[in-house]
């Protein structure tokens, strides 16, 4: 799909250090790009609340490594696009809360 290919290329453009992951700040900068927002709209991903979008992306980050990979980002977009509902957003929010409060890192 062309939208996915575009997101992957744009992800690489925003990955300035070539680490293969984006920090929250880098990811939010990517999400604020109007061209990216238009592509996300084509994927049925609402961009009216970037924190909700970030939570969906970060909820897919299960490797406990700082930042998100392109695959985690795409999984987050797909989770929103396929289940664009209040319940999907609530689940992503609860995953985010769990990650923050899991101080023992034992999942």
């Amino acid at each position: 799909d062309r939208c996915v290919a575009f997101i992957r290329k744009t992800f690489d453009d925003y990955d300035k250090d070539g680490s293969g992951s984006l920090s929250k700040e880098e990811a939010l900068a990517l999400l604020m790009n109007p061209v990216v927002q238009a592509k996300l709209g084509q994927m049925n991903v609402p961009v009216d609340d970037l924190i909700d979008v970030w939570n969906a992306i970060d909820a897919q980050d299960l490797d406990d490594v700082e930042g998100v990979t392109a695959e985690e980002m795409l999984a987050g977009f797909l989770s929103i696009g396929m289940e664009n509902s209040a319940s999907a957003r609530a689940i992503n929010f609860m995953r985010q809360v769990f990650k923050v409060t899991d101080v023992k890192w034992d999942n």
Side-chain angles (χ1 to χ4, degrees):
D1 180 65
R2 293 186 344 192
C3 289
V4 171
F6 171 81
I7 295 297
R8 286 182 195 275
K9 181 186 180 325
T10 304
F11 181 97
D12 289 341
D13 292 344
Y14 278 77
D15 182 17
K16 300 296 183 195
D17 63 1
S19 66
S21 66
L22 297 181
S23 67
K24 180 179 181 178
E25 292 76 23
E26 291 170 323
L28 289 174
L30 180 146
L31 293 171
M32 287 190 272
N33 180 319
V35 178
V36 170
Q37 289 183 358
K39 291 290 184 184
L40 291 176
Q42 292 174 8
M43 296 172 65
N44 200 30
V45 176
V47 292
D48 55 326
D49 188 342
L50 293 182
I51 297 303
D52 277 350
V53 176
W54 168 254
N55 286 340
I57 294 167
D58 196 45
Q60 305 303 316
D61 182 12
L62 303 176
D63 59 11
D64 295 327
V65 175
E66 180 66 29
V68 294
T69 65
E71 295 305 315
E72 292 165 342
M73 180 171 277
L74 286 167
F77 292 154
L78 292 175
S79 76
I80 296 172
M82 294 171 67
E83 300 178 35
N84 189 7
S85 67
S87 62
R89 288 181 179 200
I91 289 168
N92 287 330
F93 174 76
M94 291 307 296
R95 285 182 179 157
Q96 185 72 14
V97 168
F98 179 80
K99 284 175 63 175
V100 169
T101 58
D102 184 22
V103 295
K104 292 182 182 178
W105 294 93
D106 59 4
N107 293 317

